[in-house]
Amino acid sequence: MWGQGVWGYFGIIILCTPTPLAAQHLVWNDSVNVMNLKNLADSGESIIRLRITQQLDYALTLSSLFFINWEHEQNVKQVMVLHDFVYQCHVDNTRKFRFTQKITHHLGGQYFFDSIFRFHVDDNILETRLEWKLRKNHGIFLSSIISTRLFNRYDFSLNDSGNLVKKINSSFLTPMTGTFSGGFRFNWPRFGSLNFGLSSAKFTWIRDKQIYEAQKTNIYYGVTSDKKNLVEYGFSLQLQIDRDLVKWIHWNCDLLLFKNAAAPVDIIMRNLFTIRITRFLKTQFQTRIYYEEQISKKLQLENIVSVGFSVRL
């Protein structure tokens, strides 16, 4: 009994002695934090040091499609099954630093009424962005946007004998394009953002050199047949809008402009309106605008109306 009392006495002394109170790894809402709790309590700072948020959107839709000034085939009516996969991951410390990784995959199976089938749309985009906040809604950024298709795409036509022939016009990494930028970023809370790339580079790579023979040309997406890639330097501007117009209508717009000193501006735009009918059913109205003088002097537009299944995790 006497020994237990002594140890209890020393235990009370140890507990009452002022000592630094240090925390182990804390996890809160997928956030990892190491800090001194006593200093934290004195300063009144947030206990979240590193926050990780993720979002996954998936949709499977049935679409009808029509073209305006499309370069590769005649304007024909068709039906298409389209699936969309978008994954986003954000890492930030709630103050200045923010890292964003976004993977976008749009793949469609297109069926013409003359029994032709092909993969279209086939868009695969990896977007990486690092931001550092200078003021409340202003900051600097570094970003890269890399895109390619996965499957071969063909042009279909009739030869002199009336037989249907196909000619490849693009394939995996043919081309692969990448836009790398650094500059200033402006944010509009609950609306969107504007990235102005003061220093930008556009990289185009052609993996399959047989594309020149198939297209009967010596230049493809600005890359000559004796080279594998093309690097251009200039300025870029990216406008991203992501907001709810009303509770059940969502607007998403991504406009990317690139301008070098020797050519007109390149334009890539995707404008999407989503109407959520029920929790798992939605309809979409999508317009894609594309212009690059090295490919065509016409402004190309593609319009898609679709209805189908959708889920968000």
Side-chain angles (χ1 to χ4, degrees):
M1 294 293 294
W2 182 86
Q4 293 178 356
V6 171
W7 286 114
Y9 174 76
F10 280 108
I12 293 173
I13 293 176
I14 292 173
L15 291 175
C16 294
T17 302
T19 57
L21 182 59
Q24 298 185 14
H25 294 278
L26 301 180
V27 179
W28 187 8
N29 290 338
D30 293 330
S31 302
V32 181
N33 179 43
V34 181
M35 66 187 72
N36 188 297
L37 290 182
K38 183 176 185 301
N39 294 338
L40 177 63
D42 294 340
S43 65
E45 295 180 359
S46 170
I47 69 172
I48 300 179
R49 280 290 185 266
L50 187 64
R51 180 174 58 191
I52 303 174
T53 58
Q54 302 177 76
Q55 180 177 308
L56 174 63
D57 292 288
Y58 179 80
L60 181 65
T61 59
L62 178 65
S63 309
S64 62
L65 195 86
F66 64 94
F67 295 98
I68 300 174
N69 291 331
W70 204 249
E71 288 296 306
H72 299 296
E73 66 272 305
Q74 298 296 320
N75 296 335
V76 290
K77 296 180 180 180
Q78 60 221 243
V79 294
M80 180 174 65
V81 176
L82 176 68
H83 93 130
D84 300 315
F85 174 92
V86 180
Y87 170 77
Q88 298 184 71
C89 178
H90 303 284
V91 181
D92 65 82
N93 66 353
T94 73
R95 288 182 176 269
K96 292 181 178 293
F97 166 82
R98 184 177 178 89
F99 174 81
T100 302
Q101 188 88 66
K102 182 178 180 181
I103 300 174
T104 304
H105 170 62
H106 302 297
L107 182 64
Q110 192 174 28
Y111 175 73
F112 296 81
F113 293 105
D114 53 4
S115 300
I116 296 174
F117 176 82
R118 66 177 184 179
F119 287 106
H120 180 78
V121 178
D122 188 355
D123 294 331
N124 306 276
I125 304 170
L126 174 63
E127 182 174 354
T128 305
R129 186 169 60 251
L130 179 64
E131 306 167 33
W132 189 264
K133 186 186 296 184
L134 299 178
R135 299 182 62 185
K136 182 178 180 181
N137 295 319
H138 304 78
I140 57 177
F141 78 96
L142 294 173
S143 73
S144 69
I145 304 174
I146 300 174
S147 63
T148 182
R149 65 181 296 116
L150 295 179
F151 298 95
N152 293 347
R153 183 179 178 185
Y154 298 92
D155 295 330
F156 293 89
S157 60
L158 298 176
N159 59 18
D160 297 335
S161 302
N163 297 321
L164 187 67
V165 295
K166 64 180 182 178
K167 178 177 64 174
I168 189 170
N169 68 57
S170 56
S171 62
F172 177 61
L173 299 180
T174 306
M176 182 198 76
T177 60
T179 303
F180 308 90
S181 305
F184 293 101
R185 178 177 176 85
F186 305 92
N187 292 314
W188 290 277
R190 297 183 298 275
F191 183 81
S193 62
L194 179 67
N195 297 333
F196 181 60
L198 295 176
S199 178
S200 301
K202 184 177 180 180
F203 177 77
T204 306
W205 183 44
I206 307 301
R207 180 190 64 88
D208 187 2
K209 302 294 288 186
Q210 297 180 2
I211 196 72
Y212 294 97
E213 181 180 353
Q215 290 290 310
K216 295 181 173 57
T217 182
N218 291 322
I219 186 169
Y220 179 76
Y221 278 80
V223 184
T224 56
S225 58
D226 59 333
K227 297 181 179 180
K228 272 202 167 185
N229 58 72
L230 173 67
V231 180
E232 306 170 79
Y233 299 97
F235 303 94
S236 68
L237 183 71
Q238 185 180 22
L239 173 65
Q240 294 179 310
I241 300 173
D242 190 14
R243 63 164 302 180
D244 290 325
L245 300 179
V246 294
K247 184 177 180 180
W248 45 278
I249 300 180
H250 187 79
W251 179 28
N252 182 276
C253 179
D254 192 336
L255 170 65
L256 178 62
L257 308 178
F258 178 82
K259 176 70 172 70
N260 65 16
V265 63
D266 297 339
I267 302 173
I268 301 176
M269 178 179 177
R270 179 175 177 267
N271 195 56
L272 175 66
F273 290 95
T274 300
I275 301 176
R276 186 164 292 279
I277 303 172
T278 65
R279 182 179 179 183
F280 298 108
L281 183 63
K282 70 177 182 181
T283 181
Q284 293 183 327
F285 302 90
Q286 176 177 296
T287 297
R288 295 196 307 164
I289 300 175
Y290 188 87
Y291 177 79
E292 186 172 349
E293 187 185 47
Q294 295 172 336
I295 302 173
S296 172
K297 295 184 181 296
K298 297 180 180 180
L299 184 68
Q300 301 183 66
L301 292 89
E302 181 184 73
N303 301 279
I304 302 176
V305 179
S306 58
V307 179
F309 168 81
S310 172
V311 64
R312 169 172 290 187
L313 302 176

